[in-house]
Amino acid sequence: MWQELARILAVLITQYQKLKQLNEEKHGILVLVKMQELEKLVRQEEDVIKVINQTEKQRQELLARMAAGGVRVTPDMRMDSVWSQCPERQQRETLYKLHKMLGKLVAEVQEASANNEILISSALDAINFRLNQLGGSMVEPAYGSRGQEQVSHVKNFDLEV
């Protein structure tokens, strides 16, 4: 069962490496605002995330089987608590290395995702600004009665024919 756990961790590492690569590609695409390429990339990310979720489910099922077999683990137990119970020294070291590698990758993916969220937010702000500019909308310097921004619309076109 410990070898199966190592295999599952290796699959997770591979998938997180793919996700990290996609996040790096997404960063460049967001900077250049290439929306069609972004859509393709998001679909690829969804596929990778689906595999990660399935693999994580396999990990939890394996831990449940291990617990049923007498190992003191639970499906939601932290991995450092799990691998420390491995009876064989070599397998325990392998699991430790895989766990550290996976932890590092997850942190890198989270950091890249946070950076991309900032780019997405900035791009949306720029789009909203441009749309308001084109539509003649303007946010007033004072708040409305409900604490919301007051938006006024300037009539740019005379639609009466």
Side-chain angles (χ1 to χ4, degrees):
M1 284 193 215
W2 295 104
Q3 289 175 345
E4 178 68 13
L5 181 60
R7 185 197 65 76
I8 288 173
L9 289 177
V11 170
L12 284 171
I13 287 169
T14 302
Q15 294 306 312
Y16 272 101
Q17 287 171 334
K18 288 179 185 178
L19 198 56
K20 180 183 172 190
Q21 179 64 35
L22 289 172
N23 268 319
E24 290 169 0
E25 289 177 34
K26 184 190 277 187
H27 183 83
I29 289 171
L30 286 170
V31 168
L32 298 174
V33 193
K34 295 182 176 180
M35 298 311 289
Q36 290 178 338
E37 290 181 33
L38 181 62
E39 286 180 38
K40 292 176 189 174
L41 206 61
V42 168
R43 281 191 290 264
Q44 290 175 355
E45 273 184 331
E46 288 172 352
D47 293 340
V48 171
I49 290 170
K50 192 181 296 183
V51 173
I52 288 173
N53 288 334
Q54 291 168 349
T55 307
E56 179 61 24
K57 186 177 177 183
Q58 290 174 0
R59 184 191 69 82
Q60 290 176 351
E61 290 170 354
L62 176 64
L63 291 179
R65 286 196 319 263
M66 290 171 77
V71 181
R72 294 184 336 205
V73 294
T74 60
D76 58 348
M77 184 179 254
R78 290 179 44 93
M79 282 307 297
D80 54 356
S81 300
V82 172
W83 59 257
S84 63
Q85 295 184 38
C86 181
E88 265 187 54
R89 189 178 131 276
Q90 182 123 13
Q91 281 183 329
R92 187 170 50 245
E93 289 175 4
T94 300
L95 289 170
Y96 170 76
K97 289 176 185 175
L98 289 171
H99 172 250
K100 285 296 182 188
M101 191 182 305
L102 181 60
K104 182 182 175 202
L105 274 171
V106 168
E108 290 172 355
V109 167
Q110 287 173 337
E111 183 180 345
S113 293
N115 291 338
N116 286 341
E117 283 181 33
I118 292 169
L119 283 175
I120 291 169
S121 177
S122 298
L124 287 175
D125 287 344
I127 290 169
N128 282 333
F129 174 78
R130 186 66 180 140
L131 287 174
N132 287 338
Q133 222 178 15
L134 291 172
S137 299
M138 187 178 357
V139 176
E140 300 293 329
Y143 287 100
S145 61
R146 296 184 189 167
Q148 297 174 331
E149 295 175 332
Q150 288 183 317
V151 179
S152 60
H153 299 279
V154 178
K155 189 173 183 182
N156 287 339
F157 305 105
D158 187 10
L159 298 177
E160 293 180 26
V161 179

